[in-house]
Structures are given as C-alpha cells and as structure tokens.
C-alpha cells in the first residue's frame, strides 16, 4: 500500500478535510485503486482551510473549496493534478459521509445591559424560542458562553462573562431545562464580536452565545 498522508496547513477552527476511498478505479488489469482527497467547506461556518496531500513521490496543495486530487495506490508517483469538484461529484463521492455528520447547532445571541448580568428586554423575549429549540432534540446539549466588551480588567471581564453565562443558565433552568444539559463557559473580552481597543464601550460585545445541539 502506498504511503498517503494529509497534513492540514493554517487550519481555521472549523475547516474540514474529507478523505474517502471512492468508487473510482483505474481500468487496468491490476485494478489499482484510486483514492480521491477533497477539501470541503465547514458545513456550519463555510470556512475553508488548507491541506497538503503527500506521497513518497511528491505532494499537492489544496487551498480552495472543493479542491481535489487523486492518489493511485501501489504506484510510485505524486498525487494527480488539483481539480475542482462540482457539487454533484461531491455528493457522489462523499454524500454518505456528509449525511452522517451531526447537524450544526442552532445558535442564539443574548445581549446585556452595561456592566450587568441583566438581559435587555429584546434578549429576554428570546428565552421561549430557545426552549422550543431545545425541546426539538431528544437528548439536548446546550453550551452557554459569556462575553464582555473591553472595559475593565481581563480578570474582571472573565468573571463578568461567567456571571452572565450563569445567569442565562439559571434562567433556562428556571424555565424547565435540565441543568445537567447545560455547559457554562466564559470568554470574557477574549473573543470580541466587534474588534475594539481596550477600555471601549461596545454593546454588541456584551453578550451570551448559546449553541443547542
């Protein structure tokens, strides 16, 4: 068997590389198998990373959505030229694998008043919608992440982000959600939605993000 390695380069968080032993085979007496390697966008974010497909004889760089190459098993030669798969080809080669992936989470963003763990009126009105989304999952998994703007110290913002996330968890539990299904995290000021300098008031960064699977 040939030596085939796939090395991710400058991966973004949700980039996906699909490697499959497709139905393609060379029409030759030895029936050597052709493996197709493709770089696909993340199903949730649409982000595409980079990948290098290598054999002992050379390598090919995949850097755009649906870039693909082929490697012939048992033959000392580099991967084939990089080509772009059409959507029909992606479904033909990888449809079963893609269908087996978990569905992307349903996401909600709740916003807070300045230097407070009190939701805005608009965000509080989303709570029933979140609960309905949770009930659509037989075994729900809910992640609640607290965020702040850049006013205050890093430590105080971490604590405020956690306080906001806990307040949302308590709100959901009070509305009937099992506390054991909720994970609480704080990013404080480390994951800004709107990039700002330090000590900048930005209401859009004062938020809790909820992912429901």
């Amino acid at each position: 068997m040939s030596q085939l390695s796939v090395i991710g380069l400058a991966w973004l968080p949700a980039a996906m590389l699909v490697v499959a032993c497709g139905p393609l085979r060379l029409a030759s007496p030895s029936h050597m198998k052709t493996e197709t390697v493709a770089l696909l966008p993340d199903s949730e974010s649409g982000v595409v990373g980079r990948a290098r497909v290598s054999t002992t004889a050379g390598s090919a760089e995949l850097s755009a959505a649906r870039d693909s190459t082929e490697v012939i098993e048992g033959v000392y030669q580099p991967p084939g030229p990089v080509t772009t798969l059409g959507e029909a080809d992606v479904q033909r080669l990888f449809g079963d694998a893609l269908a087996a992936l978990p569905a992307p989470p349903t996401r909600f963003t709740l916003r807070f008043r300045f230097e407070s763990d009190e939701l805005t009126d608009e965000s509080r009105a989303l709570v029933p919608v979140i609960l309905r989304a949770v009930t659509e999952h037989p075994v729900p998994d809910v992640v609640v992440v607290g965020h702040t703007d850049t006013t205050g110290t890093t430590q105080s913002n971490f604590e405020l982000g956690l306080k906001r996330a806990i307040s949302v968890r308590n709100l959901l539990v009070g509305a009937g959600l099992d506390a054991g299904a909720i994970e609480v995290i704080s990013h404080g000021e480390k994951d800004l939605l709107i990039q700002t300098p330090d000590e900048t008031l930005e209401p859009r960064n004062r938020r809790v993000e909820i992912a429901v699977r």
Side-chain angles (χ1 to χ4, degrees):
M1 182 178 293
S2 62
Q3 298 180 10
L4 170 63
S5 63
V6 182
I7 305 172
L9 299 178
W11 283 93
L12 295 174
M16 180 178 71
L17 177 68
V18 176
V19 183
C21 296
L24 302 177
R25 291 180 180 272
L26 294 181
S28 65
S30 60
H31 299 291
M32 293 177 295
K33 184 169 67 175
T34 299
E35 294 184 341
T36 300
V37 183
L39 182 66
L40 303 182
D42 178 73
S43 59
E44 181 183 346
S45 67
V47 171
V48 179
R50 294 176 63 89
R52 177 186 295 131
V53 182
S54 298
T55 70
T56 54
S59 63
E61 299 285 342
L62 308 181
S63 59
R66 303 197 309 278
D67 272 1
S68 70
T69 185
E70 294 182 345
V71 178
I72 303 175
E73 184 178 305
V75 176
Y76 182 79
Q77 67 180 39
V82 175
T83 60
T84 302
L85 295 176
E87 288 293 346
D89 293 323
V90 170
Q91 290 302 316
R92 176 173 59 85
L93 294 170
F94 308 119
D96 290 343
L98 293 173
L101 293 174
T106 304
R107 296 189 180 276
F108 301 92
T109 299
L110 304 181
R111 303 200 181 280
F112 290 80
R113 302 185 188 281
F114 177 57
E115 291 187 344
S116 170
D117 62 349
E118 183 181 352
L119 290 171
T120 63
D121 293 340
E122 295 83 357
S123 292
R124 187 172 289 275
L126 284 174
V127 171
V129 180
I130 297 170
L131 292 174
R132 283 197 298 271
V134 172
T135 60
E136 293 174 357
H137 296 74
V139 184
D141 179 20
V142 182
V143 179
V144 179
V145 184
H147 302 267
T148 71
D149 61 22
T150 59
T151 57
T153 66
T154 300
Q155 180 61 31
S156 66
N157 282 332
F158 173 83
E159 293 169 357
L160 178 56
L162 184 61
K163 187 177 181 181
R164 286 173 173 167
I166 291 173
S167 72
V168 169
R169 180 195 62 187
N170 293 342
L171 189 63
L172 296 176
V173 170
L177 183 59
D178 181 4
I182 307 173
E183 179 182 3
V184 172
I185 301 171
S186 174
H187 287 176
E189 62 180 59
K190 295 300 184 181
D191 186 15
L192 299 175
L193 181 64
I194 306 299
Q195 294 300 315
T196 68
D198 196 22
E199 298 298 332
T200 301
L201 298 172
E202 176 47 69
R204 289 170 291 181
N205 286 331
R206 301 194 294 267
R207 69 200 193 279
V208 159
E209 293 178 340
I210 301 173
V212 181
R213 289 186 184 275

